[in-house]
Amino acid sequence: MKKALIKTTLLLMALLSLQSKAEVVIIVNKDNQAILRKKEIKDLYLGRIIFFPNGRAATPYNKPESDDTRIEFQRLYLNKDKNEIKSYWSKLIFTGKGAPPQTLLNDQDVISMVNSNINAIGYIDSKSLDDSVRTIIPR
Amino acid sequence: MIATTTSKKLFAILVISFLSPCIYANDFSLNQFFSLYAGQVLEGDTYAGYDEQLSTKTDNIYGIQATNSFNDSLSISGQLIISGEEDYDPKISWAYLTYEVNPFWKVRAGKLKTSFFMFSDIIDVGYTYPWIRPPIQTYSFIRYKSFDGIDSLYQHTFGDWNGLVQVYAGRINDSISFSYGSVDRSVDEMAGISWSLTYDYTLTLRAVIHTSQFSTTAPNQAVTNLLQGLEAQGYNDLSNSLKIEDERLNYYGLGAHIDTNSWVFISEYTIFDLKNQSFISDEQSFYATLGYKLNDLLFHFTYDYKKETPDTSIFESIRDIAPTNSQYPLKVGTIQSVGPENTNTDYTLGFKYNFASNSTYKLEVTRFTSHSKQLPYLNSQSEFEIHKGILVSTGIDLVF
């Protein structure tokens, strides 16, 4: 009886902690067969490269600055918090050396952009994922 | 005067390009930045444009920048700044045409920002660095914030290292005002190369070599008087050789920047070397900053050092022609002109707080000390003069 209670509590806690964090998936167009490494995701989103490894032009899309999925994406793949990202881009913008990826409002907009543009790459909350797009799991 | 005209022309071109609807179609972006600061020297001498009166002007700056891409490879960009330092006179900070040869190689031509140090091309945008102003002893070398010319930016990659090579060449023509009048300066030719290597967006190493040939009307009243004195007594050759004309200046710099999720380390070492006999001192400077991040807060400490070494060979030249006491005014003039050997040491303790993703609040305390050593010449005594104090400054930076 007591054991069961502890088990249930632990299970509940695990579920809650899973829910509190957005789970990020990276998506590209269904016809884009690109395979990406974590470093290439980083280079794409920090404006260092503008091609997929297979030579196709790449256009990364961001979600709004304070969006949870974006913050989680930046933590996981870029290893930077939102202040560091803002400062990184400000340096490039104000020296005329680069501009950050375009921002789309929500997961639906990212999905439809990726659907309609073979060069697009984006990230969304796994809950919004449907089978119209291809997910990329970086090696 | 020349510079002002150029600025006005560039400004007009910018305004016309950005307002003209026919080229609005493609890709247009507008960015702005703003810094508002107050500072006061608690006890001591003037420093960084501040004295014992509370001042809210020196470091204030507003900038607006526009970029217009005509197509995939051609774009025009310009930045206009209004700063307290320039009495709120609008100035074109830079304006140039960019040609993208390929995604890794850009060529820019126009009025470009100088890049002697790691932060010199971004010095006006306080938001992008930890301090209220980059370490003064090192960054005071930036007497030229921009030049007219061309540069090439080339990106390369090996493994986890990303590199950027910048090669530039150009010239500068401008004048600066001092209390005793205006001084014209011109850098007839300048060129340089800088190479920075970044590992995984965390560690950056940078090296720069710069060379230029420059001329200026006398840098201060003492030099003007001395040169006139020499000419009045018939030493025209010496006077001419001491004029600051076609001086060769070499500059070398090394830098390191580490930015992890909890620590920041920034350091630069620079040498500023004049090749010929000159009234302008050689300089060496070094600074190191260590910072620790705690969520939106960054605490930092900086040590900043500069040594100015005057060219004492001028003493010998004057001694050779003026061995007797009848030439005493020339000797005094020389001592005043050559100037002392200065050693400046600053310590800064401060913090930066990101109160919004695009805004920071900063507070800093700087203790500054400057020792001046009058170099021994004839019977004059070697003296120490101390210039010191504590500066407190605070303010906000924004980018939008």
Side-chain angles (χ1 to χ4, degrees):
Chain A
M1 181 64 198
K2 213 178 175 184
K3 248 186 184 170
L5 191 71
I6 295 171
K7 259 188 183 170
T8 326
T9 319
L10 280 174
L11 194 70
L12 263 171
M13 276 169 68
L15 278 173
L16 280 172
S17 68
L18 270 180
Q19 258 186 339
S20 63
K21 227 169 219 171
E23 205 185 319
V24 184
V25 284
I26 297 167
I27 57 169
V28 291
N29 188 284
K30 269 232 128 125
D31 296 328
N32 184 349
Q33 294 307 316
I35 300 165
L36 289 171
R37 290 183 302 137
K38 226 174 155 179
K39 159 143 197 336
E40 286 151 355
I41 301 275
K42 206 175 201 177
D43 285 344
L44 273 173
Y45 270 90
L46 294 176
R48 184 70 200 189
I49 57 171
I50 56 162
F51 294 103
F52 288 109
N54 60 11
R56 187 191 296 286
T59 315
Y61 288 93
N62 259 331
K63 294 189 67 191
E65 255 169 42
S66 48
D67 180 283
D68 287 343
T69 321
R70 172 159 172 182
I71 289 168
E72 183 62 5
F73 170 79
Q74 289 174 168
R75 189 184 69 81
L76 276 175
Y77 293 100
L78 311 184
N79 191 28
K80 291 194 184 303
D81 69 20
K82 64 176 198 292
N83 297 334
E84 290 166 336
I85 289 288
K86 189 79 184 176
S87 172
Y88 174 85
W89 280 112
S90 298
K91 269 180 212 158
L92 293 177
I93 291 168
F94 291 111
T95 51
K97 284 179 186 152
Q102 223 179 305
T103 298
L104 298 173
L105 262 188
N106 53 44
D107 286 352
Q108 283 326 303
D109 288 357
V110 177
I111 291 174
S112 51
M113 179 57 83
V114 165
N115 258 321
S116 62
N117 179 358
I118 191 159
N119 299 326
I121 175 167
Y123 52 84
I124 53 170
D125 188 321
S126 61
K127 277 179 275 175
S128 313
L129 186 65
D130 60 35
D131 54 11
S132 69
V133 291
R134 194 185 137 232
T135 53
I136 278 196
I137 299 154
R139 285 188 293 143
Chain B
M1 188 59 211
I2 297 164
T4 320
T5 322
T6 319
S7 289
K8 275 183 185 155
K9 264 189 218 155
L10 280 166
F11 184 52
I13 292 167
L14 275 176
V15 168
I16 292 162
S17 348
F18 293 136
L19 297 184
S20 128
C22 57
I23 53 168
Y24 225 74
N26 267 327
D27 202 7
F28 179 78
S29 66
L30 201 65
N31 297 93
Q32 296 167 82
F33 58 89
F34 178 63
S35 293
L36 190 67
Y37 283 109
Q40 185 173 11
V41 174
L42 289 190
E43 211 175 295
D45 303 291
T46 59
Y47 175 82
Y50 292 96
D51 56 24
E52 288 185 334
Q53 299 287 312
L54 180 72
S55 159
T56 55
K57 188 176 170 186
T58 316
D59 288 314
N60 293 348
I61 192 162
Y62 166 75
I64 183 165
Q65 167 185 327
T67 297
N68 198 343
S69 305
F70 302 110
N71 51 49
D72 282 348
S73 56
L74 211 58
S75 64
I76 181 169
S77 324
Q79 190 187 82
L80 179 82
I81 56 167
I82 299 170
S83 67
E85 195 188 3
E86 300 273 1
D87 274 322
Y88 302 111
D89 258 353
K91 289 262 157 73
I92 297 281
S93 159
W94 49 259
Y96 52 76
L97 191 72
T98 305
Y99 176 64
E100 208 172 296
V101 183
N102 61 47
F104 309 103
W105 186 20
K106 282 178 188 168
V107 176
R108 308 186 293 181
K111 184 181 166 94
L112 297 159
K113 204 102 170 114
T114 53
S115 51
F116 298 118
F117 306 102
M118 283 199 290
F119 295 90
S120 33
D121 58 355
I122 195 79
I123 194 162
D124 297 324
V125 191
Y127 176 84
T128 60
Y129 44 77
W131 325 275
I132 284 177
R133 61 195 82 78
I136 283 260
Q137 299 307 341
T138 303
Y139 279 75
S140 61
F141 170 70
I142 308 185
R143 282 136 199 167
Y144 306 107
K145 285 188 162 184
S146 62
F147 66 99
D148 296 316
I150 185 162
D151 79 349
S152 149
L153 295 164
Y154 183 74
Q155 286 191 347
H156 59 92
T157 301
F158 42 89
D160 284 343
W161 292 86
N162 290 328
L164 179 69
V165 178
Q166 181 185 21
V167 181
Y168 60 88
R171 54 177 61 209
I172 303 168
N173 246 310
D174 70 353
S175 59
I176 36 170
S177 304
F178 290 111
S179 50
Y180 59 86
S182 171
V183 167
D184 290 321
R185 313 180 292 180
S186 71
V187 177
D188 302 320
E189 47 165 79
M190 56 173 272
I193 179 167
S194 79
W195 185 27
S196 65
L197 274 175
T198 302
Y199 178 76
D200 197 28
Y201 304 92
T202 306
L203 162 71
T204 302
L205 301 172
R206 182 178 188 268
V208 57
I209 297 174
H210 167 95
T211 183
S212 58
Q213 187 169 299
F214 77 101
S215 302
T216 175
T217 50
N220 61 48
Q221 194 61 53
V223 174
T224 309
N225 290 346
L226 178 68
L227 294 179
Q228 280 168 0
L230 286 169
E231 275 162 35
Q233 299 190 36
Y235 301 113
N236 289 322
D237 287 351
L238 184 61
S239 170
N240 283 332
S241 78
L242 289 175
K243 274 184 186 152
I244 300 164
E245 267 170 15
D246 300 332
E247 300 278 346
R248 171 63 54 186
L249 179 153
N250 291 337
Y251 164 83
Y252 314 92
L254 286 174
H257 187 176
I258 301 169
D259 195 348
T260 73
N261 294 132
S262 34
W263 293 96
V264 176
F265 174 78
I266 309 170
S267 183
E268 289 187 82
Y269 174 68
T270 62
I271 297 174
F272 167 60
D273 179 29
L274 275 130
K275 283 291 150 209
N276 308 333
Q277 193 175 47
S278 173
F279 286 112
I280 297 175
S281 303
D282 286 350
E283 287 177 19
Q284 267 186 73
S285 61
F286 170 83
Y287 77 88
T289 294
L290 186 66
Y292 181 71
K293 293 181 198 172
L294 205 67
N295 299 321
D296 292 330
L297 275 164
L298 169 73
F299 298 95
H300 58 87
F301 175 75
T302 300
Y303 168 79
D304 184 18
Y305 170 88
K306 177 164 79 177
K307 186 174 182 183
E308 294 172 355
T309 316
D311 184 352
T312 47
S313 72
I314 294 173
F315 289 154
E316 274 95 70
S317 304
I318 304 280
R319 190 185 290 146
D320 290 346
I321 61 145
T324 64
N325 278 339
S326 66
Q327 307 289 358
Y328 193 68
L330 283 185
K331 290 166 187 168
V332 174
T334 311
I335 292 168
Q336 286 168 345
S337 301
V338 171
E341 180 185 280
N342 292 319
T343 316
N344 306 339
T345 315
D346 299 353
Y347 298 94
T348 300
L349 193 63
F351 76 88
K352 176 181 97 156
Y353 171 57
N354 272 81
F355 61 94
S357 77
N358 67 339
S359 337
T360 61
Y361 168 74
K362 292 173 184 170
L363 175 70
E364 278 176 23
V365 180
T366 301
R367 197 182 73 111
F368 55 94
T369 318
S370 166
H371 290 269
S372 299
K373 186 177 161 193
Q374 202 68 56
L375 295 166
Y377 174 57
L378 293 176
N379 297 322
S380 73
Q381 291 287 309
S382 180
E383 282 169 43
F384 282 90
E385 239 182 287
I386 294 178
H387 172 98
K388 62 177 180 180
I390 292 169
L391 169 71
V392 177
S393 36
T394 186
I396 53 163
D397 296 303
L398 274 91
V399 290
F400 42 103

